[in-house]
Amino acid sequence: YQAMPLMSMYVTTKFAVEGFTESLYYELKPHRVAVALVEPGGHRTKFGANITWAARAGEKNSPYADQTQGYKDMLTRKLDSDAAPGYNVVKAILRLVDGNRMPLRTQVGLDAVGVRILRAILPPFIFFPLSGFLIQIGLRRR
């Protein structure tokens, strides 16, 4: 999963689920119990509309107002334009259940696959600054 600004609690739970699932995968594998982690990228859902933002643009006393508005705009652009339909995640889960093999990780969506590839080929000292730079570019495109 990719960390994002203003999403600390959400990302924390995603990392926790990832660690829990990976532990179960290795724990249960000798007992022939399959465990899988589905890693969806951005998909068109009502997630963005259901977020409660801690800071709102226009609140003069909030140091997060501009950052929050930029992130909201970026998220709206992402979900309105190039996000895949949500049913792609359901189809991926059904393929896992119906298939003969169940890998630990299954990425759904080009952005999820792209992040996984970049993390695999780039050392952390390049991946993390590059990732932060791309996020900042996305925040500025309002």
Side-chain angles (χ1 to χ4, degrees):
Y1 192 76
Q2 176 63 40
M4 298 293 289
L6 304 172
M7 303 287 285
S8 301
M9 295 309 294
Y10 177 77
V11 170
T12 299
T13 62
K14 293 294 186 182
F15 281 141
V17 168
E18 181 179 8
F20 177 66
T21 303
E22 190 171 328
S23 293
L24 283 178
Y25 175 84
Y26 293 115
E27 181 179 326
L28 298 175
K29 188 173 184 166
H31 303 285
R32 299 168 52 150
V33 176
V35 176
L37 182 63
V38 176
E39 300 173 321
H43 286 78
R44 284 190 300 267
T45 65
K46 295 187 191 261
F47 177 79
N50 291 324
I51 293 176
T52 300
W53 297 93
R56 291 172 182 73
E59 287 183 8
K60 293 181 178 147
N61 61 348
S62 174
Y64 293 98
D66 289 340
Q67 185 182 20
T68 300
Q69 188 60 50
Y71 189 71
K72 283 174 70 173
D73 292 347
M74 182 178 73
L75 187 61
T76 300
R77 277 193 314 274
K78 173 80 177 144
L79 296 179
D80 286 348
S81 60
D82 60 349
Y87 61 78
N88 285 352
V89 177
V90 174
K91 290 189 331 190
I93 292 169
L94 291 174
R95 276 194 306 273
L96 285 171
V97 171
D98 291 340
N100 291 334
R101 82 182 255 286
M102 189 170 299
L104 171 59
R105 298 175 188 282
T106 299
Q107 292 81 35
V108 184
L110 289 176
D111 53 345
V113 172
V115 167
R116 181 58 63 189
I117 290 170
L118 288 176
R119 276 195 158 168
I121 64 174
L122 295 177
F125 72 89
I126 294 174
F127 174 79
F128 289 109
L130 176 63
S131 178
F133 175 73
L134 294 173
I135 289 169
Q136 291 306 312
I137 287 175
L139 289 174
R140 282 188 229 131
R141 288 182 47 210
R142 316 199 280 173

